Amino acid sequence: HSIAILGAPFSKGQKRRGVEHGPKAIRDAGLVERLSNLDYTVHDFGDLSFPHLEKDEHFMHVPFPRSVGRANKLLSNAVSSAVGAGHTCVMLGGDHSLAIGSVEGHSQQCPDLGLIWVDAHADINTPLTSPSGNLHGQSVAFLLKELQDKMPDIPGFSWMKPFLSCTDLVYIGLRDVDPGEHYILKNLGIQYFSMRDIDRMGMQRVMEVTLDHLLSRKQRPIHLSFDIDAFDPSLAPATGTPVNGGLTYREGIYITEEIHNTEATAGLAVDVIASSLGQSREGANMAFQEIPSPKEDTEQLRL
Ligand code: ARG
Ligand code: MN
Ligand code: MN
Ligand code: MN
């Protein structure tokens, strides 16, 4: 069994710099040695290098669309090659907009993958619902077929098409969801476990339902996208978007142990992130009567 490590030092999915040092910080903390001690053959492919684009104007209020699109295209190719060569791929971010390319590249090789998204945030805004414009808060919207006609043509992303269904996705750890995101989660009937759900059910039950949801009908590979801000800020303070009341160390590790314990885990990518700009706590979706479409004049729906 072999593991490929890919670093993606990239931060333009949000407005703070710093997360591009994530891959080095995680390597310096001893990742390769720890994995080697587990008897894996570890191939560290080093860090990808992303081009600096001179001209990359905002699209609507979304900054750096072409840079983020290009970085994700590069990353997708790298992940796809690594998985195609038979490795379990671990991608180190970087900001969470990189999950677009990471999941896309994985799905190139494993079209029927299930996605577990561990995060304080749902990252399912479209450019029309996003309060911040930041693409790290929109990654999942790029992946979902059900949101295809809600997504405008964002420059930099013509290379990809959405490929995931909302039944292929489960969230764990949510506690800071924007109104438009809350509306989308409810409207599409996406399975999610907020911190409140975890308090009520316990993590053991949450993982049972999660894996049952994704694996009961068929065996399939799982993609794990883990935003470090899912943990409580007392454990992971160096994130751009800390939200109080997060996962304990034990809850976080229980999630990953349970995923390891499923034999269906053909691929496991860990998108580790130290991210940015926090927004409001979970809000009502009263501002939304429907998911705004790019065709309509949605100015009044912006927050
Ligand atoms: N929901 C907020 C936004 O859309 C925050 C997103 C935070 N995402 C993250 N990957 N840290 O901007
Ligand atoms: Mn987050
Ligand atoms: Mn995230
Ligand atoms: Mn981020």
Side-chain angles (χ1 to χ4, degrees), residues 31-239:
L31 177 69
V32 174
E33 202 189 349
R34 285 275 290 281
L35 294 175
S36 306
N37 290 343
L38 289 172
D39 259 2
Y40 289 107
T41 313
V42 181
H43 302 262
D44 190 345
F45 289 89
D47 285 351
L48 295 166
S49 58
F50 301 110
H52 172 77
L53 304 184
E54 284 304 327
K55 249 177 80 79
D56 193 1
E57 265 99 61
H58 284 219
F59 170 78
M60 301 171 57
H61 64 327
V62 175
F64 308 117
R66 297 162 197 82
S67 304
V68 176
R70 177 79 77 85
N72 275 292
K73 186 181 178 186
L74 279 165
L75 175 60
S76 165
N77 289 335
V79 170
S80 177
S81 314
V83 176
H87 305 297
T88 293
C89 185
V90 177
M91 193 282 284
L92 313 171
D95 76 60
H96 215 179
S97 68
L98 294 162
I100 300 168
S102 191
V103 182
E104 213 275 342
H106 192 180
S107 86
Q108 293 283 328
Q109 301 293 331
C110 312
D112 63 337
L113 59 80
L115 174 60
I116 300 179
W117 194 277
V118 183
D119 202 326
H121 310 92
D123 296 348
I124 198 168
N125 276 301
T126 73
L128 299 143
T129 68
S130 171
S132 66
N134 296 329
L135 283 163
H136 77 154
Q138 305 176 41
S139 321
V140 177
F142 284 83
L143 309 178
L144 290 183
K145 292 189 274 197
E146 287 85 349
L147 287 174
Q148 180 151 32
D149 62 335
K150 310 296 178 191
M151 292 293 277
D153 290 325
I154 302 150
F157 288 89
S158 58
W159 57 275
M160 71 166 295
K161 263 198 176 44
F163 50 88
L164 216 65
S165 297
C166 50
T167 50
D168 302 330
L169 163 68
V170 180
Y171 285 104
I172 301 173
L174 301 186
R175 58 192 183 277
D176 182 5
V177 175
D178 297 321
E181 296 186 294
H182 191 252
Y183 183 82
I184 290 170
L185 293 179
K186 290 291 180 195
N187 191 258
L188 299 181
I190 292 170
Q191 178 78 260
Y192 66 86
F193 298 100
S194 65
M195 287 311 300
R196 179 177 166 78
D197 296 321
I198 296 165
D199 287 340
R200 279 175 40 240
M201 301 166 64
M203 189 55 88
Q204 185 195 338
R205 182 72 188 136
V206 165
M207 287 313 294
E208 257 176 50
V209 181
T210 296
L211 295 172
D212 191 63
H213 181 86
L214 293 175
L215 301 175
S216 65
R217 279 197 243 129
K218 52 179 175 197
Q219 292 292 298
R220 62 192 328 198
I222 297 290
H223 183 109
L224 171 64
S225 199
F226 203 118
D227 188 331
I228 202 69
D229 70 28
F231 278 114
D232 192 79
S234 58
L235 295 168
T239 165

